[in-house]
Amino acid sequence: MAIRFSELMLKIELIYDKPPLPGWQDPRRTIHVHSLYWVHEGRGFFTLDGREFPVGPGSLLYLRPGRELWMMSDTDNPLHMTMILFQAAAVTRHNGAWQVRELAALEMAEVQALRGADREDCEGRIKALRTAWAPGDDGREAAACNLLLRLIRSVSRRQTARGGQERPASGAGPGSSGPPPWEAAKRYLDTHYYADIRLSLVAEDCGISLRQLRRRFLEELGTSPKEYLDKVRHEHALRLLEHTDEPLKRIASACGYYDEFHFSKAFKKIAGMSPSAYRSATPKGEWRQERGEE
């Protein structure tokens, strides 16, 4: 049964940039959620229902829960892609009562090859979505879910009306006055957690002293900038451990840790167990209950 986009509710579980490593091969491991795969660059082959097909820049795949996929990257021109895992439900009101119905599938084509303005639009939306999402931050997660909804609506409209083109979403940059310096620093940590960050330089770039930045973080967030950055990195590491089988070395690099040793040490400090132990104790599909989420 078709649903209105105004009735669609989404919950993002993971957004992950797959690094462009030569010749990587991987199955779709987390199959209990909906998935989008967007290819930024490179070449490769995907296998779906026993059918192998090439993918490249502008390839967009949507898979409903339960679908299996095998992915293989080219050796000379490796795939760089973004993977989005999410849950979807329809929220309707009937006889004065709200009803929530989990969706088994969305009305989207499984495989699309976007070109020209369509590709540029989707690329911009994916990048904005990737920047907005910050696991553990309710406001940022809600904003990212809204961007994902707009992306799905835009792609779905193109399927039914190739003649009409929706204008790319304008950048949601700060207003003329801009955010307070401490908030600008927080946004930077949210979106650049994977980088080698020096808090003194972040403070300088945001027009605030490091001492003032620490004071404002403690006042507004109840934690120091360093502790906040550790929390952001930890949240991203949790999602990768829960939803992928990426090696710990790769997760460490993706989350901004110097190496696997420092990653394991920082993770154990917060979680009370090593990354390997956490992954073993959290079967895929059960992590939400174990972390107390509905």
Side-chain angles (χ1 to χ4, degrees), residues 201-217:
L201 294 181
V202 173
E204 181 180 340
D205 289 343
C206 294
I208 189 174
S209 70
L210 183 57
R211 182 177 180 179
Q212 289 177 317
L213 182 63
R214 289 191 182 118
R215 180 173 61 82
R216 293 294 286 152
F217 261 63

Side-chain angles (χ1 to χ4, degrees), residues 38-43 55-59 77 79 113-115 119:
W38 171 254
V39 178
H40 299 279
E41 298 174 341
R43 298 289 175 183
V55 294
S59 294
N77 190 13
L79 286 172
L114 304 185
R115 299 288 183 265
R119 175 185 164 188

Side-chain angles (χ1 to χ4, degrees), residues 36-44 46 53-62 77 79-82 109-124 126 151 155 158 162:
L36 282 177
Y37 300 89
W38 171 254
V39 178
H40 299 279
E41 298 174 341
R43 298 289 175 183
F46 286 1
F53 54 92
V55 294
S59 294
L60 177 67
L61 278 79
Y62 161 70
N77 190 13
L79 286 172
H80 171 212
M81 67 181 197
T82 294
E110 284 193 324
V111 183
Q112 299 183 60
L114 304 185
R115 299 288 183 265
D118 287 349
R119 175 185 164 188
E120 292 179 7
D121 184 19
C122 193
E123 178 77 17
I126 293 287
L151 169 65
V155 171
R158 290 194 183 101
R162 289 295 179 183

Side-chain angles (χ1 to χ4, degrees), residues 218-282:
L218 288 170
E219 290 175 352
E220 300 292 341
L221 304 175
T223 187
S224 70
K226 174 63 168 61
E227 291 170 339
Y228 181 79
L229 177 59
D230 289 342
K231 174 180 174 293
V232 171
R233 286 172 168 168
H234 183 75
E235 284 291 335
H236 281 277
L238 285 176
R239 302 299 176 102
L240 292 174
L241 290 169
E242 291 159 357
H243 289 290
T244 77
D245 285 331
E246 293 281 31
L248 296 184
K249 181 178 180 180
R250 194 174 298 170
I251 292 178
S253 176
C255 295
Y257 296 99
Y258 179 72
D259 55 23
E260 186 177 336
F261 171 77
H262 288 85
F263 167 47
S264 296
K265 183 178 179 180
F267 188 92
K268 189 172 184 179
K269 182 179 179 181
I270 296 177
M273 65 177 74
S274 69
S276 297
Y278 179 84
R279 173 175 269 170
S280 299
T282 312

Side-chain angles (χ1 to χ4, degrees), residues 20-31:
L21 300 176
W24 62 262
Q25 299 185 35
D26 219 359
R28 181 193 186 197
R29 301 184 185 278
T30 306
I31 64 172

